[in-house]
Every structure is written in structure tokens, then in C-alpha cells.
Amino acid sequence: MYKLLALNIDGTILKNNGRLQKETKEAIEFVKQKGVYVTLLTGRNFLSARKVAKALKLNAMLVTFQGAVIAKTLDEKIYEKTISEEKTFNIVQVLENFECNIRLMHERYSIGNRKKIQKNLVVQTVLSTGDPFIYPTQFVDSLGDTLRDEPLAVPKIEVYFPDEEERDKAVKVLRKAFYGIDLIIQPDWKIEIVPSVVSKLNGLKKLGDYLGISLKEMVVIGDGLDDISAIEAAGLGVAMGNAPAEVKKVADWVTRSNEQLGVAYMIKEHFRKQQRLEFLRQIKINK
């Protein structure tokens, strides 16, 4: 019997156009009625994830910023880990030698450099993964100068490169120059920089400890390379049909794609067989 369902957002519960389908909402409501704790497991900032959670009527602790912030509200956190002010400044100093856009992801806002690169990836990302009214983004000419005047510790740094070659050069330098951080390689020549203790899996473990739920009692559904460790460790790991082969390889179950309502399909196929947890506990007590 599974007690927790963790869902990635982009490429999993959302369609490619960013829409949340009625069938997905209904399926998540169905599994909630079974007594299962439903959470979001995402690289998104907390405020953006919370907006999706509200659309799903979830009043749960959310694992956000790749696991760096676990919270129900920004005033109600059970875990937070940031890159220190000094290290954030030093990372920015190194990155400003490369052709890239940098976004410092604070819990309440982000700060990015105005540098123009091919395809203007930062603008695309701001429009596709955030709401400027909920999670404002400020652009400055020099992040280094800004941080010198106003130091900032952040849970995550996002960096966008014009091509693979420039990204790989920067990754090589960062790995050699800094310890205590992890670099998460994402599609479209993007990297995410987080504290080395941070991952979706570790975030899920911390949430499980808080709720008294083990990894083996969890279902994880995702589509990205950063979901692999959580999918592999869960009691039931599910890959979306649109996930890369590496993700499908470690999964226990492969569902339909996000365009084909894969989350709703998986929930109805599996959880319809599971009795309500409260009912099962009552039977156990009566015995």
C-alpha cells in the first residue's frame, strides 16, 4: 500500500503548452480520497510550484528548487539549504567570463544578467516556468556588481548557454574551482547549480522523515534525468512516456506521455486497486 505520491511538474503533470488538464486534476483528487499524501517534486521555485499546487487543491509540503526548499508556505518550511553569499558571488564571477545568462533563484524573486545570447533562452524560460507577478525577475547589467553591494545566498543558480561547447567549458571550470556544489545538466544547454547535499531524492527522504513515510511506501512519477534517483529509490518508480531512455530504464512502470495524460492513466490503473488507508488501518485495529 502506497502512502505518498510525488509528481514532477513540467513534462509530467503539465502538457507541453503548460496546461493542466481536467483529467489530471480529477485523478489527483481521486488518489487524495484514498488517503494518499500528494506532493510536487520539482526544480521550480517554491512560489511557482505553489501556484500549480493550488490549481490541484493540494495543501501539502512541496519539494522545490531541486529539493533545496521543502515547505507548505514560505513561512512554514521543514528544510532549506542555500549556496552561501560568498560562494554565490564567486560562482558569478567565474560565470561572467563565459557567454551565458545567469539567474540567481531566491525563494521570493530571481535576479538575472541582461547579456544577450542565442535564442534568448532566459526570456523563454521566464515565460514558460514562472509568473512575473508571483515570482518577479529583475535584470541587471552586472550580477557581480549587484552582489558586491547586496550579497545574496540562494538555493539554486540557473545558467543558460548558447551551445554545448560553451556549457561544457564552464562546467569543467566550475567543477575544478568549487566544492560543495552539484551541477545538474538539463536539456537545451542549461545547468542548475545547487548545494551538494541537495537533490530531489534527498528532499523526498526529508519529507518522508517528517511525515513518517518510508521511500518504499512512495510512488514517484517523473520525466527528467534529475528524477532518476528518486524514481529508482521509490517503492514504485514511474517514468513518463515522453521521458528519455535513461529514465525509463530505472523505472518500475512506464506510463503514457504528458500529452496523453500519462499521470491520470497511471493513477487510475494502479490506485483504483488500493483501498483507502483509513479503511485499512481500521481493519488492522479491529483484528
Side-chain angles (χ1 to χ4, degrees):
M1 296 294 104
Y2 297 107
K3 298 180 180 179
L4 184 146
L5 172 63
L7 301 163
N8 183 40
I9 296 178
D10 299 289
T12 299
I13 60 174
L14 299 184
K15 297 185 72 175
N16 293 338
N17 61 7
R19 292 186 178 277
L20 184 60
Q21 295 298 97
K22 180 183 72 171
E23 293 88 345
T24 302
K25 293 180 183 180
E26 290 172 348
I28 290 172
E29 185 61 32
F30 170 77
V31 81
K32 281 168 55 186
Q33 294 302 317
K34 296 275 188 176
V36 176
Y37 194 97
V38 181
T39 186
L40 302 178
L41 183 68
T42 179
R44 283 193 181 206
N45 67 75
F46 174 80
L47 294 176
S48 176
R50 186 63 194 151
K51 182 181 178 183
V52 177
K54 285 183 178 180
L56 293 169
K57 299 181 180 178
L58 297 181
N59 185 29
M61 289 285 174
L62 309 177
V63 183
T64 63
F65 286 109
Q66 292 289 357
V69 175
I70 306 172
K72 185 175 288 187
T73 69
L74 286 178
D75 297 320
E76 190 179 353
K77 301 173 191 166
I78 62 169
Y79 180 76
E80 181 178 28
K81 185 69 176 178
T82 59
I83 303 169
S84 70
E85 292 178 354
E86 180 181 5
K87 190 169 288 185
T88 298
F89 175 77
N90 290 336
I91 290 171
V92 166
Q93 290 286 93
V94 169
L95 285 171
E96 286 185 329
N97 292 298
F98 294 91
E99 187 73 12
C100 63
N101 281 123
I102 309 161
R103 288 182 73 198
L104 306 179
M105 311 295 289
H106 186 267
E107 62 180 24
R108 297 183 184 274
Y109 58 88
S110 72
I111 303 177
N113 62 339
R114 283 199 181 96
K115 194 169 190 176
K116 297 292 185 181
I117 67 169
Q118 180 183 336
K119 298 182 182 177
N120 209 354
L121 291 175
V122 166
V123 173
Q124 291 179 15
T125 304
V126 170
L127 293 175
S128 64
T129 64
D131 185 325
F133 298 104
I134 292 176
Y135 189 71
T137 297
Q138 176 188 359
F139 291 100
V140 297
D141 292 322
S142 170
L143 278 175
D145 291 346
T146 300
L147 293 177
R148 193 175 285 112
D149 296 334
E150 299 178 32
L152 192 65
V154 295
K156 187 175 72 164
I157 302 171
E158 294 183 351
V159 194
Y160 306 82
F161 297 91
D163 53 53
E164 185 176 357
E165 181 182 1
E166 190 73 358
R167 181 201 67 191
D168 291 349
K169 284 193 296 184
V171 166
K172 185 177 180 180
V173 171
L174 289 169
R175 283 179 172 159
K176 187 175 181 179
F178 297 99
Y179 66 92
I181 60 170
D182 279 342
L183 307 180
I184 302 171
I185 309 298
Q186 298 284 18
D188 298 323
W189 311 308
K190 170 188 172 185
I191 65 171
E192 296 179 343
I193 305 172
V194 296
S196 57
V197 296
V198 165
S199 69
K200 287 185 176 181
L201 174 57
N202 286 340
L204 204 55
K205 286 178 180 176
K206 291 185 182 300
L207 178 59
D209 290 343
Y210 174 78
L211 297 172
I213 298 175
S214 71
L215 286 171
K216 295 304 177 186
E217 296 173 305
M218 299 182 186
V219 178
V220 174
I221 309 179
D223 71 291
L225 298 179
D226 54 353
D227 295 312
I228 285 178
S229 60
I231 288 173
E232 197 168 21
L236 181 61
V238 180
M240 297 296 292
N242 50 290
E246 300 96 315
V247 182
K248 294 176 180 177
K249 184 177 179 181
V250 303
D252 302 302
W253 215 76
V254 178
T255 187
R256 296 172 179 172
S257 73
N258 61 326
E259 290 293 301
Q260 299 169 314
L261 301 170
V263 169
Y265 175 73
M266 183 275 161
I267 286 174
K268 289 176 180 177
E269 282 296 301
H270 179 81
F271 282 99
R272 63 184 172 83
K273 305 171 187 175
Q274 179 167 305
Q275 296 289 345
R276 291 182 67 251
L277 294 176
E278 186 58 39
F279 173 72
L280 295 174
R281 280 192 287 267
Q282 193 63 42
I283 290 177
K284 189 174 181 180
I285 291 170
N286 291 339
K287 284 183 178 179

